[in-house]
């Protein structure tokens, strides 16, 4: 419930002085406020930059549909495809998977440890001059490790894709 300076709840279409000043500042500094994406009513749960935030439980989590989509892409990547009788893997798909996993850094602590082999595989692809979309497994010495790493992401429990933020904030404040 947003209360105006008058001490009464705001009616539909009204805005508080604070909201108005915030919008003026944002626009004045070259920002843009998307009315479709903005919520002017206080809410317990919201989605921001693709992550679910719960302000009562103080948690941030990866949405279920994003997790399911990434696991499907991991399955597709690991299945590979045969080109001229040789099993090949799709580089662009691995880059997409890695990009999504990197975007979960807010939730998954030490995420860089869990994308190490994907980074190395992509680096090797370009080092060997493979600029096409497919890679033959002969050219990737860490293929077994990459498969193991991707399976770790696939078998994560939901607990790991959700975390409380207040614990880490208090540690930061304590040590600063």
């Amino acid at each position: 419930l947003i209360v105006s300076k008058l001490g009464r709840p705001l009616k539909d279409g009204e805005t508080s002085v604070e909201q108005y000043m915030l919008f003026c500042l944002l626009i004045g500094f070259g920002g843009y406020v998307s009315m479709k994406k903005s919520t002017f009513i206080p809410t317990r749960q919201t989605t921001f930059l693709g992550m679910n935030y719960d302000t009562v439980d103080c948690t941030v989590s990866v949405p279920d549909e994003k997790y399911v989509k990434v696991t499907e892409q991991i399955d597709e990547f690991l299945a590979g495809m045969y080109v001229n009788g040789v099993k090949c893997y799709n580089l662009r798909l691995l880059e997409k998977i890695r990009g999504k996993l990197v975007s979960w850094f807010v939730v998954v602590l030490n995420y860089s440890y869990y994308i190490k082999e994907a980074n190395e595989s992509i680096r090797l692809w370009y080092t060997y001059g493979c600029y096409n979309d497919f890679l033959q497994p002969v050219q990737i010495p860490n293929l077994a490790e990459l498969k193991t790493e991707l399976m770790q992401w696939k078998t994560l429990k939901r607990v790991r894709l959700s975390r409380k933020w207040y614990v880490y904030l208090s540690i930061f404040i304590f040590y600063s």
Side-chain angles (χ1 to χ4, degrees):
L1 182 65
I2 299 174
V3 179
S4 68
K5 295 274 185 187
L6 301 173
R8 65 171 172 77
L10 296 172
K11 297 177 185 170
D12 284 341
E14 285 187 327
T15 184
S16 69
V17 174
E18 292 84 4
Q19 286 176 330
Y20 178 75
M21 292 304 296
L22 177 62
F23 291 141
C24 287
L25 281 171
L26 285 172
I27 293 168
F29 285 114
Y32 173 76
V33 178
S34 173
M35 300 306 276
K36 287 191 310 188
K37 295 180 181 179
S38 299
T39 305
F40 301 106
I41 300 169
T43 180
R44 175 186 175 190
Q45 295 177 337
T46 189
T47 300
F48 180 69
L49 295 177
M51 297 292 136
N52 292 333
Y53 291 86
D54 188 325
T55 58
V56 173
D57 295 338
C58 296
T59 58
V60 59
S61 61
V62 175
D64 291 335
E65 57 274 3
K66 284 190 176 225
Y67 180 70
V68 169
K69 186 174 180 182
V70 166
T71 58
E72 290 169 353
Q73 288 179 325
I74 289 173
D75 286 338
E76 182 183 342
F77 175 80
L78 292 176
M81 61 177 52
Y82 286 91
V83 177
N84 297 329
V86 178
K87 190 169 184 180
C88 297
Y89 298 93
N90 189 330
L91 166 65
R92 302 290 175 235
L93 183 57
L94 180 61
E95 288 179 327
K96 286 179 185 178
I97 293 168
R98 190 216 22 199
K100 287 184 175 105
L101 299 179
V102 167
S103 73
W104 297 352
F105 76 95
V106 174
V107 178
V108 181
L109 299 177
N110 300 322
Y111 77 96
S112 59
Y113 174 74
Y114 298 108
I115 60 166
K116 184 172 64 170
E117 297 301 332
N119 286 338
E120 181 64 9
S121 296
I122 291 168
R123 184 190 70 77
L124 289 171
W125 260 314
Y126 289 117
T127 299
Y128 286 126
C130 297
Y131 299 110
N132 57 355
D133 288 347
F134 301 102
L135 176 76
Q136 296 177 7
V138 181
Q139 298 170 327
I140 289 296
N142 68 330
L143 186 60
E145 292 87 355
L146 174 63
K147 287 180 179 182
T148 302
E149 180 178 274
L150 292 175
M151 288 306 294
Q152 284 178 344
W153 281 102
K154 239 190 97 160
T155 57
L156 286 177
K157 304 292 183 219
R158 291 301 303 161
V159 175
R160 292 189 184 177
L161 294 178
S162 175
R163 75 171 181 91
K164 293 192 174 284
W165 67 66
Y166 69 85
V167 174
Y168 304 102
L169 182 61
S170 62
I171 290 171
F172 174 74
I173 293 170
F174 178 74
Y175 285 111
S176 16

